[in-house]
Amino acid sequence: MSTFTIDNKTMHFLDKGEGPVLVLGHSYLWDSAMWAPQVDALSQHYRCIVPDLWSHGQSDSAPEKTRSLRDYADDVLALLDHLNIDKFSVIGLSVGGMWGAELALKAPVRMQSLVLMDTFIGYEPEVSHAKYFAMLDTIAELQVVPAPMVDVIAPMFFARNAEENNPELVAQFRSHLASMQGPQALEITRIGRMIFGRRDTFEDVEKLTLPTLVMVGAEDSPRPPLEAQLMHDAIDGSKYVIIPAAGHISNLEQPEFVTKQLVEFLAEVIA
């Protein structure tokens, strides 16, 4: 992992491969390692830049000035400037897609294509907004993810039969959730509030004119296919793919399918 510093806060990122640049954004509560199957394949032909979101993986907590996903898009843009990268594409899953859309709006001339996976760029629906903020309040107060909450959160990230089909993946994630405590747990809730309190990027969706692929797990409960369909309908010329037998972390539940879709899409849109 390489490092980049903003306001005395260190961002860790993977930089692997050579060729046209792909910036990959991981899900909330995960880290850059989530993209390992795709990076292994894509780095054969592309340069993959995979930052750890603030307070995730090896990255420090967010700088004081980073208070929204638009601010985080600025942080990623600063990283790319630091690396002297002009043109790039973004592949974003969950929060990675949310800040990826913001980055596309900030740097439309520099961004070549956008992949929105298991994400939603509109407001968080009222019911889930209330539920997630209540969870964040509890974690912030206790500075730990209590066991009953681990039991609620973990299944949200996977397809219905994940514990049978991918027991090790589910067990690792449950262990990760249970391990978060103290200042890290508190800072994770700060990022969560940025995510679930995000602005409605649909206000600017007509400005997203770059080649866009919208993909979603057929069994994604927090970001269901209906939301992906809304984005596909709103983004002119976008391509829409449903990932079978996959939940929110679709790239790990169906890695071969997802990688194949990415390889084909990128071959079409990046010269």
Side-chain angles (χ1 to χ4, degrees), residues 2 21 35 42 62 65 80 85 111 119 121 145 179 186 197 203 210-211 225 228 248 266:
S2 303
V21 175
W35 285 113
L42 294 173
K65 70 173 185 60
L80 296 174
I85 292 170
M111 200 153 153
T119 191
I121 61 174
V145 184
S179 72
L186 188 60
E203 294 175 359
L210 74 174
H248 193 59
L266 294 168

Side-chain angles (χ1 to χ4, degrees), residues 4 10 19 36 38 59 62 74 79 135 151 154 158 163 207 217 229:
F4 173 60
T10 300
Q38 287 71 42
S59 287
D74 285 333
L79 168 63
M135 288 180 170
D151 292 338
F158 305 104
E163 292 213 52
K207 299 176 186 176
Q229 183 70 55

